[in-house]
Amino acid sequence: MYTQALNAKDAVVPVAGPEEAARAERFQARIDAEERIEPNDWMPEAYRRTLTRQISQHAHSEIVGMLPEGNWITRAPSLKRKAALLAKVQDEAGHGLYLYAAAETLGSSREELVDQLLAGRAKYSSIFNYPTLTWADIGAIGWLVDGAAIMNQIPLCRCSYGPYARAMIRVCKEESFHQRQGYEIMLTLCRGTPEQKAMAQDALDRWWWPCLMMFGPPDSESQHSDQSTRWKIKRFSNDELRQKFVDATVPQGRHLGLTFPDPDLAYDEAAGHWRFGAIDWEEFRQVLAGNGPCNRQRMTQRRDAHAAGAWVREAAMAHAEKRARRARAVPEAA
Amino acid sequence: MPTTSISPAATPLLTCVLRRADDALILGHRLSEWCGHAPMLEEDIALANIALDCVGQARSLYDYAAVVDGGGLTEDDFAYRREAGAFRNCLLVEQPNGDFAATIVRQVLFSAFIDPYFRALAASADATLAAVAAKAEKETAYHLRHSAEWLIRLGDGTQESRARAQAALDELWPYTGELFEVDDAEAAVIAAGIAPDPRGLAAAYDATLEAVLGQATLTRPAGAWMQTGGRLGRHSEHLGFILADLQYLQRAHPGATW
């Protein structure tokens, strides 16, 4: 579902020697000329590391993101909604698979990357550390979380790294479908009984601020945006994307007849933007530090699923080896 | 305001349609419980895919049940507004997911039946059922292939996987007899050329299982005792909990649109 600027610092790798410097210069010239970098092309180690981290965090987010939404599959209130939600969560798994494959083109295996997640060494989007308490949360996730994800990911379709850019084109198409589906759930609730509308309002109240945090820390604190911008991994700053999201989303929420949980939210006629109140960055830092409402639960579920599936993966390997052995034995016997 | 459960009149055709629909819904529900918890990402996708097919089949069949009933009901009325005792699914599909072996064995035991059943139903004198079955059969053929391949991997994998697969097979085997039951309602639709006689599919079922279990190096359980009751609405304790989950929102907000 989602990628996020998580504000981790890269160790700066010193450029060694004039030859390396010339290579880096040629590399930057290709980026400046809007050429796509492909897996077999030379690339600076820091570029490889930045992308591996970003793509794998994105993949982990898809996988962890299956949990809060999966929480409502068995309780979806109609067969149509059940089928749509199942298909949506299945799409997230597909995005995860696709993104791990993109990360693998940079030289890290899926197993390594998953191990990093399970060991707590890799991050995933902070948003999935919030609980889905009612059915309206499924609508709110589609509308707001996927909406925020799209804002972030559309520029990534033009990312300098080819496999990631191509993955994003496909992912964005599916995310916009999810976003419309989520909004439609919200619309149905808002046109429904008073209890349903209250459910929708409560979901907006709980998801709005965490969704604004999805764009990452404010530009004044963002630590690796400059390099990512030069490499054309990142095309817009966190604050620019956040503002775009607010501008697109506020009219949608008003159309639903819902109130945003921000007394400072006001339209700035002159600038043509919706101005919003101060974000509680301490909450964001706490969620990233592992103290969100569901961090431990999500990681426990992932670790449990991984551990419970170990014997299955071993069986599949053992069977594949047996088959290969038999296949080798046949010509020898003949 | 629909606040209570429905109890549609049990004509043979409606009974037969609901048995197929309930099998699909309950199995789809069980499989959907795996979503996000499977042994590997590929299997998260595959199990969700099979679950989606099952829910889709259930929806087509409930739609038709509403037509047969003629009382203005919808697919959701059948899924969300019947008590456990009104469900007509076989006991096999409501059995818990257990470990991955139990899920796979349950799938093989069911798919090996329902795939040839839908193939035969595609020749039904009832045009709607024939069309639903023709579409569903393409899906169940894949479900059988996918689950049989896994059963072979598990049976002919490690010592542990083989033991788990055999234990699941022993556990679930007594629920296979119900698949072939024919009561008065089934007999009536069979006689009318609407549904195939499941007893006529037993030999093919045995042959499929023999081939799969052979490659999986698993032993077909010897016990002849078979559980029964699901087709008449006498279920295991599990179904009540499935419905508590499945029907919760519809029951808590009667008459609401979702």
Side-chain angles (χ1 to χ4, degrees), chain B:
Chain B
M1 180 74 69
T3 56
T4 54
S5 298
I6 58 162
S7 8
T11 63
L13 177 57
L14 185 61
T15 299
C16 173
V17 173
L18 286 178
R19 283 172 177 168
R20 293 337 32 113
D22 292 345
D23 279 354
L25 177 65
I26 301 303
L27 184 57
H29 184 96
R30 275 295 190 220
L31 291 167
S32 78
E33 293 171 356
W34 272 105
C35 199
H37 307 278
M40 61 201 74
L41 200 43
E42 286 81 354
E43 213 45 32
D44 267 315
I45 295 174
L47 292 174
N49 197 40
I50 298 175
L52 262 174
D53 287 343
C54 290
V55 172
Q57 291 164 11
R59 294 182 67 188
S60 304
L61 289 161
Y62 287 137
D63 263 348
Y64 187 48
V67 173
V68 172
D69 176 73
L73 296 172
T74 67
E75 57 175 23
D76 286 338
D77 289 323
F78 287 104
Y80 292 89
R81 292 180 54 216
R82 282 182 301 151
E83 303 288 336
F87 273 74
R88 291 290 177 266
N89 59 278
C90 59
L91 299 172
L92 176 63
V93 295
E94 70 196 41
Q95 297 310 305
N97 286 341
D99 59 9
F100 186 69
T103 292
I104 289 298
V105 167
R106 185 183 64 199
Q107 194 64 46
V108 169
L109 294 179
F110 184 73
S111 299
F113 168 77
I114 202 64
D115 184 53
Y117 185 90
F118 277 143
R119 206 152 45 239
L121 187 64
S124 171
D126 183 307
T128 308
L129 281 182
V132 170
K135 179 173 182 291
E137 193 277 327
K138 294 188 184 77
E139 297 164 349
T140 54
Y142 160 72
H143 303 170
L144 177 58
R145 195 169 66 243
H146 183 78
S147 55
E149 282 169 2
W150 262 114
L151 189 55
I152 291 165
R153 276 184 212 113
L154 297 181
D156 187 25
T158 63
Q159 236 176 359
E160 179 181 8
S161 67
R162 185 170 189 280
R164 285 176 183 264
Q166 186 66 53
L169 188 61
D170 295 344
E171 176 79 15
L172 293 169
W173 185 253
Y175 297 106
T176 54
E178 206 178 14
L179 298 168
F180 300 94
E181 285 176 4
V182 173
D183 61 1
D184 289 349
E186 291 289 337
V189 289
I190 293 165
I194 291 170
D197 189 333
R199 292 166 300 194
L201 304 172
Y205 188 76
D206 287 343
T208 302
L209 287 186
E210 197 185 316
V212 175
L213 297 182
Q215 287 189 70
T217 70
L218 295 171
T219 311
R220 182 177 163 142
W225 172 255
M226 290 291 166
Q227 298 292 344
T228 182
R231 297 299 186 206
L232 297 174
R234 287 195 306 275
H235 291 278
S236 63
E237 290 177 349
H238 306 299
L239 187 64
F241 288 99
I242 292 176
L243 297 184
D245 249 7
L246 191 142
Q247 299 181 337
Y248 141 71
L249 269 173
Q250 289 263 352
R251 298 285 192 188
H253 300 267
T257 302
W258 299 95

Side-chain angles (χ1 to χ4, degrees), chain A residues 77-116:
Chain A
S78 72
L79 294 180
K80 186 182 116 187
R81 296 291 186 207
K82 187 187 288 290
L85 182 56
L86 241 177
K88 183 184 183 217
V89 180
Q90 189 191 29
D91 282 348
E92 315 294 2
H95 297 171
L97 203 54
Y98 209 52
L99 285 160
Y100 282 127
E104 283 186 322
T105 64
L106 291 161
S108 304
S109 71
R110 198 211 305 183
E111 289 71 19
E112 276 173 70
L113 298 171
V114 169
D115 284 347
Q116 288 173 7

